[in-house]
């Protein structure tokens, strides 16, 4: 196995788009580029979100900040960058796809956060059962979102083949899937 050189933080085109956060208040931080040209960074954010709209990028970054709050703490830069990597990897082509992929990233993060609270078993049986139920709902929602994205991209059409077989009286039939095998 060959050794790979890991890219330095935010320096290469093939590394995921990232943000740094400058805290403005307890609830809101201003995103800025980790390094390099701000214009190039903003263009990469637009490409990652499948949009040409700066307003869509700004709104999405605010939504990710709201979803990336860790329990009993502020906004997590790690969580936002993980969500951005998730979104960029899904390669949304339109704002509609990006909105769904953002929901998927947030649902996944919330599901994992709830699952981590179940694992410790803190808070008694009722609390653990409630957390397990919440995690189940979130993970089911994620699976539905993934299926929705698949259908959106591939079309929702289904293929159904109906065959009618008529067998005359006194005839013999074999039912099943058969391959033509040369004799």
């Amino acid at each position: 196995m060959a050794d790979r050189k890991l890219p330095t933080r935010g320096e290469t085109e093939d590394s995921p788009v990232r943000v740094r956060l400058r805290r403005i208040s307890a609830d809101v931080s201003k995103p800025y580029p980790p390094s390099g040209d701000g214009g190039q960074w903003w263009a990469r954010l637009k490409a990652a979100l499948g949009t040409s709209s700066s307003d869509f990028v700004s709104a999405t970054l605010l939504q990710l900040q709201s979803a990336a709050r860790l329990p009993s703490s502020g906004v997590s830069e790690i969580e936002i960058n993980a969500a951005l990597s998730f979104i960029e990897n899904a390669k949304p082509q339109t704002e509609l796809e990006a909105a769904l992929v953002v929901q998927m990233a947030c649902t996944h993060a919330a599901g994992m956060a709830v699952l981590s609270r179940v694992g410790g078993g803190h808070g008694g049986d009722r609390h653990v059962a409630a957390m397990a139920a919440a995690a189940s709902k979130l993970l089911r929602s994620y699976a539905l979102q993934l299926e929705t994205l698949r259908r959106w991209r591939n079309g929702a059409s289904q293929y159904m083949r109906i065959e009618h077989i008529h067998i005359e009286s006194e005839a013999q039939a074999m039912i099943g899937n058969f391959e033509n095998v040369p004799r």
Side-chain angles (χ1 to χ4, degrees), residues 45-125:
L45 283 170
K46 284 181 174 180
L49 292 168
T51 187
S52 61
S53 169
S54 290
D55 290 335
F56 185 80
V57 173
S58 295
T60 300
L61 289 174
L62 285 172
Q63 292 163 355
L64 287 174
Q65 284 186 50
S66 294
R69 281 187 183 64
L70 295 176
S72 303
S73 68
V75 177
S76 169
E77 193 173 283
I78 292 171
E79 287 289 326
I80 289 177
N81 286 322
L84 281 173
S85 181
F86 181 106
I87 294 161
E88 187 175 34
N89 191 354
K91 297 175 179 52
Q93 300 300 308
T94 65
E95 287 87 355
L96 288 172
E97 276 190 23
L100 179 58
V101 172
V102 168
Q103 289 175 20
M104 290 170 64
C106 294
T107 302
H108 172 72
M112 294 300 104
V114 171
L115 277 177
S116 71
R117 296 176 82 189
V118 171
H122 306 292
D125 291 343

Side-chain angles (χ1 to χ4, degrees), residues 80-168:
I80 289 177
N81 286 322
L84 281 173
S85 181
F86 181 106
I87 294 161
E88 187 175 34
N89 191 354
K91 297 175 179 52
Q93 300 300 308
T94 65
E95 287 87 355
L96 288 172
E97 276 190 23
L100 179 58
V101 172
V102 168
Q103 289 175 20
M104 290 170 64
C106 294
T107 302
H108 172 72
M112 294 300 104
V114 171
L115 277 177
S116 71
R117 296 176 82 189
V118 171
H122 306 292
D125 291 343
R126 284 187 179 175
H127 179 73
V128 170
M131 290 291 109
S136 176
K137 288 177 184 178
L138 285 165
L139 297 177
R140 223 172 328 164
S141 293
Y142 176 79
L144 286 171
Q145 290 165 335
L146 188 59
E147 178 63 14
T148 300
L149 180 63
R150 185 197 64 76
R151 285 184 178 193
W152 175 263
R153 289 183 171 171
N154 299 330
S157 62
Q158 295 180 351
Y159 174 75
M160 186 181 300
R161 186 172 85 183
I162 300 173
E163 295 181 13
H164 296 279
I165 301 174
H166 300 281
I167 302 175
E168 303 293 327

